[in-house]
Amino acid sequence: MNNLQHIPLDEILLLSFHASDAGDNDLAEALYSSFISTKDKAIKLAEKAAESGDLDIVDTIFKSIEKAKEVTKARAQKGERNTNFDLSLDDPINNKCSENLLETQSLSDYSNDKGIKEDVDVNNLARNMIMEFQQNKSNNKVVKKHSKKYSNHNLNGKSFNRKNTNIDTLLKKYLKEEKFNAAEKRANKLLLKEPNSAYLHNYLGVCLTQQNRFDDAKKAFDKSILIEPNAHDAIYNKALINLRFGYFDKGWELYEAGLNHNIREVFQEFLYDKTPFWDGKPFDGTLLVYGEQSISEQIMFSTIIDDLLKVHQNIILVVDGKLKNLLQRTYENIQVIGSDENKSLLEYNQHIPMGSLCKFFRKKVGQFNNGEIKNIISSFEIDKQTKFLFPDQKGLKIGISWMDFDSKHSSESHLSDEDVSEIIKFGDHTFINLQFGTIDKNLEEINQKSSNSIHQIPGVNLGQNLDSYASIINNCDLVISVDNMTAHLAASLGKPVWVLLPANNNFRWMEKTENSIWYKNVLLLRKELGKDWSKIIGYINSALG
């Protein structure tokens, strides 16, 4: 084992504090990021050392973390605050550092739980960690400032942020690795010691939700809220269960808890605006409506705009810049602004996030209009140009997308290359690639495995140029997709869409139905819990054969 004498966590924190005090915000943030990265690697190293029986290394890391805690405590006692590290609105840096340090459970416990094992060489891990710190230390003066200052740790939209909570490290690992059964057992074990932990009851509810045990999950969320009435994460998670089962009035009311600590990831520059939050009533002035979450959610919530215009006409809509042209073309009478544009000169009197419109316009099943929506309008010129790029072959032109890169979605939502090759080989049809991202190797593998192949439309960056992407979709007869941006864009364009869903899916698709309440032209194909995609692929092959 390396002669690892010290992990310089305390030194990094001190340098960060000094840089902040000196007004060098970029350097302060870079150093703090280095502290977080080094701390996380130290925890991983401690696990490996504990498994290999090297208690000296465990002790060294434990002492290093304790020193960092002492540095944070000393600063807190001085009453110093650092607004440059304002990750959660107005928290002092010592609180934030305390939260991160409290996430490290007692390192002596690692040897008692072998739930997670990897073939990692402890010596190399220690060596790489120290080398990386030294490199960061020498380069930190040129590191650029991070643009995102507050990060929710979400899984399928569920927040696990809780201030001043001693978060068991294994709980976080189990969730990250989607070991929900093991996570449930761990949470129940810890609840025996801490029965009044709102965090643990919320965590347990999340684990149960991921196993489709919704009644038990709701009880866990209720316990969390009973212990801590302002447990916004538990309230938000309870909202998602209500919405999943069609209790829309109550669900959208609870959904508003997601605005606290920006769990819902709305455009934060507007969320805390001093202008009034819209109450659903018409008024004399301009209403600002702004996006939240991913492009998928913004497309879905944009289906409400037609109903909104019946109540209030003077609207400014701010959405992801990639959506601007599509929505401006669709809603000519409102001003659509891209999130990447300068918005400092916008004038408006009241504001509301897109998702919050639901509490006014989607409180009952009937308000969804049986999925009848105003279709998004693609560019007629680009549609015509794209048509000439399609292969001239018989059969249906079927667009296909099989992955989603949204970290909030489970790995169970993806299709493997083998799965895709099984889908495209049946029937005399032409398959068009709608999968964005770096997928050249995937396409090569899929085409090699199948007697058919997936065609790429040349010259289009699918993830960036949504105007051209929409035109490719518009020239397809059918779209087969997992739950991602492709599914929502295709549905909003009015194309027939078959959406392949994992057993535990997003609340918007509800439960035990093949129809979407949001889009009338969507067919939902649900994978069974614990099963692979073979049964669903069989349905598709039968329909296309």
Side-chain angles (χ1 to χ4, degrees):
M1 183 68 207
N2 291 21
N3 289 324
L4 186 62
Q5 302 297 323
H6 176 53
I7 305 292
L9 294 171
D10 55 325
E11 296 175 23
I12 307 174
L13 268 185
L14 282 171
L15 288 170
S16 175
F17 289 143
H18 292 328
S20 179
D21 292 342
D24 194 338
N25 299 339
D26 288 355
L27 177 57
E29 284 201 8
L31 285 165
Y32 183 72
S33 295
S34 177
F35 160 71
I36 294 298
S37 175
T38 306
K39 186 260 295 182
D40 290 343
K41 289 182 174 64
I43 297 298
K44 189 176 183 69
L45 173 59
E47 289 182 49
K48 298 295 108 184
E51 289 175 5
S52 64
D54 196 335
L55 299 182
D56 289 339
I57 292 296
V58 174
D59 187 56
T60 296
I61 294 174
F62 181 76
K63 290 178 179 177
S64 298
I65 290 176
E66 287 302 308
K67 285 186 178 180
K69 287 182 179 180
E70 291 173 6
V71 170
T72 304
K73 183 178 179 180
R75 186 173 179 90
Q77 289 175 344
K78 291 181 180 180
E80 299 180 15
R81 295 175 63 90
N82 185 335
T83 56
N84 298 316
F85 283 86
D86 190 14
L87 295 198
S88 52
L89 305 183
D90 59 354
D91 290 340
I93 185 173
N94 55 280
N95 279 0
K96 189 184 68 167
C97 292
S98 297
E99 291 166 19
N100 280 297
L101 288 168
L102 283 171
E103 289 178 1
T104 61
Q105 78 178 112
S106 176
L107 296 178
S108 61
D109 291 343
Y110 283 119
S111 59
N112 296 325
D113 199 318
K114 305 293 184 179
I116 300 174
K117 294 185 178 179
E118 294 175 278
D119 295 327
V120 179
D121 182 80
V122 179
N123 293 321
N124 288 335
L125 190 58
R127 186 184 305 112
N128 292 340
M129 183 171 63
I130 299 303
M131 289 178 64
E132 183 174 332
F133 165 70
Q134 295 295 345
Q135 185 178 5
N136 287 339
K137 189 174 180 180
S138 62
N139 295 336
N140 55 36
K141 291 186 178 181
V142 296
V143 176
K144 292 184 178 180
K145 185 176 182 179
H146 296 283
S147 59
K148 188 175 182 180
K149 289 197 171 190
Y150 183 80
S151 177
N152 284 304
H153 304 290
N154 293 329
L155 180 64
N156 288 344
K158 302 168 185 65
S159 168
F160 306 111
N161 280 330
R162 182 63 59 84
K163 297 179 183 179
N164 303 320
T165 302
N166 191 353
I167 303 174
D168 180 278
T169 306
L170 284 176
L171 294 182
K172 297 180 72 176
K173 284 185 174 290
Y174 285 144
L175 280 185
K176 184 177 181 181
E177 299 187 5
E178 299 176 17
K179 297 179 178 178
F180 302 118
N181 183 261
E184 176 196 348
K185 292 178 180 178
R186 181 71 174 174
N188 279 320
K189 180 180 178 181
L190 293 173
L191 279 168
L192 293 175
K193 300 178 181 178
E194 299 181 67
N196 292 322
S197 170
Y199 170 84
L200 287 174
H201 284 292
N202 177 60
Y203 178 98
L204 177 62
V206 169
C207 298
L208 294 167
T209 299
Q210 294 299 318
Q211 299 173 74
N212 286 8
R213 293 159 58 188
F214 300 111
D215 288 339
D216 291 336
K218 195 172 180 181
K219 292 176 183 177
F221 294 139
D222 284 337
K223 288 181 181 178
S224 179
I225 298 166
L226 182 64
I227 294 167
E228 187 177 327
N230 291 325
H232 303 298
D233 42 8
I235 297 171
Y236 179 68
N237 290 334
K238 182 179 177 180
L240 301 186
I241 292 182
N242 276 275
L243 294 172
R244 181 185 294 272
F245 287 95
Y247 302 114
F248 295 114
D249 196 1
K250 183 64 174 178
W252 294 125
E253 177 189 340
L254 297 175
Y255 194 69
E256 293 300 281
L259 298 179
N260 291 278
H261 309 304
N262 203 8
I263 296 170
R264 271 170 43 190
E265 299 177 3
V266 308
F267 292 173
Q268 189 163 318
E269 58 195 296
F270 302 116
L271 179 58
Y272 304 106
D273 198 294
K274 293 181 180 179
T275 58
F277 202 87
W278 189 49
D279 61 2
K281 300 176 182 178
F283 65 95
D284 184 17
T286 301
L287 173 63
L288 175 71
V289 181
Y290 47 95
E292 59 179 275
Q293 304 175 62
S294 70
I295 289 178
S296 296
E297 280 78 19
Q298 290 174 50
I299 292 173
M300 183 178 77
F301 291 138
S302 74
T303 63
I304 305 174
I305 293 176
D306 240 18
D307 292 317
L308 171 62
L309 287 169
K310 296 172 184 175
V311 175
H312 194 85
Q313 292 75 46
N314 192 358
I315 298 169
I316 297 175
L317 177 64
V318 180
V319 293
D320 189 292
K322 300 171 190 174
L323 278 174
K324 177 187 174 180
N325 290 341
L326 287 167
L327 291 180
Q328 186 65 83
R329 192 181 298 116
T330 306
Y331 299 100
E332 295 179 337
N333 295 326
I334 67 175
Q335 182 181 4
V336 180
I337 305 292
S339 57
D340 51 351
E341 297 181 60
N342 181 8
K343 298 173 285 296
S344 60
L345 299 180
L346 289 181
E347 295 184 1
Y348 52 92
N349 307 98
Q350 297 185 31
H351 69 100
I352 190 169
M354 293 178 79
S356 293
L357 293 172
C358 296
K359 66 183 179 181
F360 302 121
F361 299 103
R362 294 295 183 267
K363 294 192 296 181
K364 300 176 182 178
V365 172
Q367 291 182 314
F368 284 83
N369 305 316
N370 294 318
E372 293 276 359
I373 61 171
K374 180 174 183 177
N375 292 335
I376 285 179
I377 301 173
S378 60
S379 166
F380 179 70
E381 290 300 320
I382 300 177
D383 283 356
K384 287 197 303 182
Q385 296 167 9
T386 303
K387 185 176 182 179
F388 290 110
L389 299 175
F390 268 57
D392 186 16
Q393 298 178 10
K394 59 183 178 180
L396 296 175
K397 304 294 190 296
I398 303 175
I400 186 166
S401 176
W402 60 94
M403 289 191 291
D404 183 25
F405 297 99
D406 189 337
S407 61
K408 292 184 289 186
H409 289 183
S410 165
S411 61
E412 290 291 314
S413 64
H414 300 170
L415 298 176
S416 68
D417 294 345
E418 183 72 32
D419 292 330
V420 180
S421 68
E422 288 294 316
I423 290 175
I424 69 173
K425 74 180 183 181
F426 279 86
D428 193 13
H429 306 295
T430 302
F431 286 86
I432 306 299
N433 178 49
L434 296 178
Q435 183 57 58
F436 45 88
T438 305
I439 57 156
D440 289 342
K441 290 183 179 179
N442 300 89
L443 276 176
E444 183 179 353
E445 182 77 14
I446 290 166
N447 291 340
Q448 285 177 356
K449 288 177 179 290
S450 179
S451 55
N452 201 349
S453 61
I454 298 177
H455 296 268
Q456 289 223 67
I457 303 302
V460 179
N461 185 328
L462 300 180
Q464 299 297 320
N465 188 342
L466 289 199
D467 257 358
S468 294
Y469 192 27
S471 290
I472 294 174
I473 292 173
N474 236 7
N475 278 282
C476 291
D477 301 304
L478 168 68
V479 171
I480 299 174
S481 179
V482 297
D483 179 13
N484 60 12
M485 175 184 71
T486 308
H488 289 271
L489 183 55
S492 68
L493 286 164
K495 307 303 293 187
V497 187
W498 296 353
V499 181
L500 281 63
L501 298 176
N504 185 273
N505 51 76
N506 193 283
F507 77 91
R508 57 180 163 242
W509 306 120
M510 306 182 71
E511 290 292 318
K512 299 178 181 179
T513 178
E514 295 177 346
N515 302 312
S516 166
I517 199 168
W518 293 92
Y519 313 103
K520 70 171 184 177
N521 47 311
V522 164
L523 174 67
L524 304 175
L525 301 174
R526 300 175 183 271
K527 185 169 70 168
E528 296 178 15
L529 191 64
K531 304 291 185 180
D532 59 20
W533 290 104
S534 57
K535 187 174 182 179
I536 300 301
I537 293 172
Y539 291 153
I540 294 173
N541 291 340
S542 178
L544 297 179

